[in-house]
């Protein structure tokens, strides 16, 4: 660490976490940034303003003032990921007494150049249970707002690639959802302009979450249907023709799920806002309930997408087992599968779910021709085609491969057929 990056003696920061987010606040911006830098989290952090923390705190002027003082100079927010979770565990955050919320203070003592946990919270401004509860709700809202923005960006790019027919199918499917989205936008506008969400406005959204989840579950089932269709295309030629349709279907249903997820996020923002008005003491309990529902939604989504990913991986493996008789088709098949996997990966990134997938690559010709499995699969397929079409294709296929092998000076397998 460079000397100019070292924490100054006496600098203190306060840490608040709801398990999904981490907020670091302090009087000095240098102290907050330095703390996160020493923990390797500064690049993941973004500045959060009092305006973003305000909605869940507006029910109490005193509470808002307390938080205002806590983030007067600097507050940085980190979205917790599996990669950052281990580092955050080392901070020594303890149960704050507010369910689901952990808290700690950290600072430097004397000439020690390491951040240490301060055992006492005397004088800490954000340690008040009401403040912690309000901040946890506000962090949840901010996280949802960020996710909505990322999903809208994902949708914008996806919509540009949807053809006219797909747009028509999407609009038919999402017809009812469009009305719900309109009510949500109106409620968000009301909350922003009037400073609170009244019961009348909230009542218009009654049952909205159920309707949104019904559309989302249907979309996940459609993805499962696309996965099942892969079992019907065992030949490379059939698979190559099927993949563009599969990719278009994945685009359509991912777009549907993205819109549903964004709508549920915005509905959750409004629900926390509503509870901050009518039952401030219940904001944290409602936040935890909404987070539990979100985890259930993501588990259902991940299960459906995982089935599709496994089928696509199997299709890519099947293609690579038939390289020598489909020299040009195999790279096309695997390339199309990779593009579809890329769509899913970008969707996961929009949901702040980090993925680390290995890319799929077509097997090299020189390696494929040495595998007896390749020959067996090719001759079996050739025999099937000959039986269907009444053409003596086996000899032609074998001659083609042998000719290519001689030209490439590749040594054929030297072991008998199994």
């Amino acid at each position: 660490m460079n000397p100019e990056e070292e924490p100054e003696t006496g600098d203190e920061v306060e840490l608040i976490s709801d398990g999904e987010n981490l907020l670091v606040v302090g009087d000095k911006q240098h102290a907050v940034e330095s703390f996160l830098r020493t923990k390797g989290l500064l690049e993941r952090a973004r500045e959060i303003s009092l305006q973003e923390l305000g909605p869940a705190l507006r029910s109490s002027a005193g509470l808002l003032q307390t938080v205002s003082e806590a983030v007067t100079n600097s507050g940085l927010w980190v979205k917790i990921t599996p990669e950052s979770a281990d580092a955050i565990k080392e901070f020594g955050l303890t149960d704050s007494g507010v369910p689901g919320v952990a808290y700690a203070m950290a600072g430097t003592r004397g000439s020690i150049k390491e951040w240490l946990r301060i055992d006492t919270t005397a004088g800490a401004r954000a340690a008040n249970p009401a403040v912690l509860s309000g901040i946890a709700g506000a962090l949840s809202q901010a996280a949802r707002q960020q996710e909505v923005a990322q999903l809208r960006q994902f949708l914008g790019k996806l919509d540009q690639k949807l053809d006219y027919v797909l747009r028509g199918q999407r609009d038919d499917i999402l017809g009812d959802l469009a009305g719900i989205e309109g009510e949500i936008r109106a409620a968000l506008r009301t909350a922003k302009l009037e400073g609170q969400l009244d019961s009348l406005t909230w009542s218009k959204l009654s049952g909205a979450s159920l309707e949104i989840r019904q559309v989302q579950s249907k979309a996940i089932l459609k993805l499962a249907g696309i996965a099942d269709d892969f079992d019907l295309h065992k030949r490379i030629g059939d698979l190559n023709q099927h993949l563009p349709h599969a990719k278009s279907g994945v685009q359509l249903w991912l777009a549907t799920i993205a819109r549903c997820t964004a709508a549920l996020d915005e509905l959750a923002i409004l629900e926390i806002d509503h509870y901050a008005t009518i039952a401030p003491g219940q904001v944290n309990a409602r936040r935890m309930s909404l987070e539990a529902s979100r985890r259930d939604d993501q588990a259902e989504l991940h299960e459906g997408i995982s089935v599709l990913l496994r089928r696509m991986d199997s299709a890519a493996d099947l293609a690579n087992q038939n390289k020598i008789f489909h020299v040009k088709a195999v790279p096309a098949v695997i390339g199309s599968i990779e593009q579809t996997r890329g769509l899913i990966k970008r969707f996961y990134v929009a949901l702040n779910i980090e993925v680390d997938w290995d890319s799929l690559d077509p097997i090299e010709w020189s390696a494929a021709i040495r595998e007896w499995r390749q020959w067996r699969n090719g001759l079996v397929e050739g025999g099937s085609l000959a039986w269907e079409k009444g053409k003596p294709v086996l000899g032609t296929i074998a001659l083609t491969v042998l000719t290519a092998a001689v030209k490439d000076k590749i040594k054929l397998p030297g072991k008998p057929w199994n």
Side-chain angles (χ1 to χ4, degrees), residues 146-341:
Q146 183 189 55
E147 185 171 281
V148 168
Q150 291 170 173
L151 286 167
R152 298 293 186 210
Q153 186 178 27
F154 170 78
L155 273 169
K157 294 179 180 179
L158 207 60
D159 284 346
Q160 293 175 3
K161 298 179 181 179
L162 288 177
D163 60 28
Y164 179 79
V165 175
L166 283 177
R167 287 194 182 96
Q169 293 176 0
R170 178 200 59 192
D171 293 342
D172 288 341
I173 294 163
L174 298 180
D176 294 336
L177 183 62
I180 297 173
E181 289 174 318
E183 291 290 349
I184 290 174
R185 285 194 298 271
L188 287 168
R189 185 167 54 249
T190 297
K192 182 178 181 180
L193 293 175
E194 298 183 9
Q196 65 178 1
L197 191 65
D198 59 78
S199 297
L200 177 61
T201 303
W202 176 248
S203 67
K204 295 178 182 178
L205 298 172
S206 175
S209 62
L210 175 60
E211 294 182 51
I212 295 169
R213 285 189 169 89
Q214 287 175 338
V215 175
Q216 183 169 268
S217 294
K218 181 190 294 185
I220 294 172
L221 287 174
K222 292 293 185 179
L223 287 179
I226 294 173
D228 291 340
D229 286 345
F230 276 92
D231 287 340
L232 305 177
H233 302 86
K234 296 296 186 181
R235 292 175 181 168
I236 304 305
D238 294 341
L239 185 59
N240 199 19
Q241 292 180 355
H242 170 67
L243 279 170
H245 301 289
K247 179 184 175 183
S248 297
V250 171
Q251 283 181 279
L252 173 61
W253 296 113
L254 281 184
T256 301
I257 294 169
R259 282 184 61 177
C260 289
T261 304
L264 287 171
D265 279 343
E266 290 175 328
L267 198 60
I269 292 169
L270 289 168
E271 192 161 350
I272 291 176
D273 218 31
H274 183 55
Y275 267 77
T277 301
I278 65 169
Q282 296 298 315
V283 167
N284 193 59
R286 178 56 54 167
R287 173 192 68 82
M288 294 180 66
S289 175
L290 291 170
E291 289 297 334
S293 296
R294 182 175 180 273
R295 286 192 294 270
D296 289 343
D297 290 340
Q298 288 198 346
E300 179 189 9
L301 173 61
H302 183 64
E303 182 179 354
I305 289 180
S306 293
V307 173
L308 177 60
L309 287 171
R310 287 196 296 270
R311 297 294 172 81
M312 289 195 294
D313 288 348
S314 296
D317 187 53
L318 174 67
N320 268 334
Q321 293 176 21
N322 291 271
K323 170 74 176 213
I324 62 175
F325 293 107
H326 298 280
V327 178
K328 294 182 179 179
V330 169
V333 166
I334 293 181
S336 183
I337 291 174
E338 268 292 274
Q339 290 176 2
T340 306
R341 290 168 91 241

Side-chain angles (χ1 to χ4, degrees), residues 13-16 22-26 31-32 35-36 71 74-78 91:
V13 296
E14 297 180 54
L15 290 74
I16 304 144
L22 173 71
L23 179 66
V24 182
V25 296
V32 174
F35 176 83
L36 288 170
V71 295
S74 184
L76 290 179
W77 163 41
V78 177
F91 295 168

Side-chain angles (χ1 to χ4, degrees), residues 38 175 274 281 377 417:
T38 60
H274 183 55
N377 291 345
W417 293 96

